[in-house]
Amino acid sequence: MLNKGDLFTEFTSGNKPEKANFIKRNRIIAGLSEATLVVESAEKGGSLITADMAFSYDREVFAVPGRPKDIQSVGCNKIITDNKAALLSNGEDLAFFLCWEPEVGQIENLNDREPHLMDTDEKRIY
């Protein structure tokens, strides 16, 4: 974070991680993010609050559907049914919806690279 990251907060370092602070933080995250993805949610919860905020900001919202009778899927299924989230079934769908197409020549197979030429993150992935 010191070299390449950013910190977005409206709280001082002494603030405790209280429930209300997560919602305030997620308001910022929803506004900064290109999209919000809800993987699993009960009927109520922080992820649905964040998804609703993102929807109100005209950001893309996606949800992974779940089994109809699973209480941990009710939230995702509802925002899909209410047309507040697009149904997402795999990562390729997300890349397609967000137009995350790599530029020609940008895809590189790490198996074709020599380990001594890889940076630290590439080595970890390899």
Side-chain angles (χ1 to χ4, degrees):
M1 189 169 90
L2 293 174
N3 295 328
K4 295 183 181 181
D6 290 314
L7 177 64
F8 294 95
T9 183
E10 53 196 315
F11 303 106
T12 61
S13 61
N15 281 46
K16 294 182 179 180
E18 297 173 359
K19 186 176 182 178
N21 292 350
F22 291 112
I23 294 169
K24 291 175 184 176
R25 179 211 52 209
N26 288 357
R27 170 183 56 82
I28 296 169
I29 299 301
L32 291 172
S33 300
E34 183 176 357
T36 297
L37 169 61
V38 182
V39 176
E40 184 175 79
S41 179
E43 188 172 2
K44 294 181 179 182
S47 60
L48 293 182
I49 294 169
T50 303
D52 193 51
M53 285 186 254
F55 182 80
S56 74
Y57 299 156
D58 290 325
R59 298 291 195 262
E60 297 289 342
V61 180
F62 301 95
V64 176
R67 294 182 302 275
K69 295 187 180 204
D70 184 345
I71 62 170
Q72 294 303 318
S73 298
V74 173
C76 286
N77 293 342
K78 180 164 178 29
I79 61 175
I80 292 169
T81 301
D82 292 346
N83 291 319
K84 288 189 171 185
L87 186 149
L88 194 71
S89 58
N90 58 56
E92 288 80 18
D93 287 349
L94 182 64
F96 174 78
F97 284 126
L98 296 177
C99 300
W100 287 352
E101 295 297 325
E103 293 181 25
V104 176
Q106 292 290 352
I107 298 176
E108 185 177 349
N109 187 341
L110 286 180
N111 291 325
D112 296 338
R113 301 252 329 260
E114 296 293 327
H116 69 278
L117 297 175
M118 295 179 190
D119 66 29
T120 305
D121 289 334
E122 291 171 333
K123 286 178 184 175
R124 214 171 33 227
I125 292 168
Y126 180 76

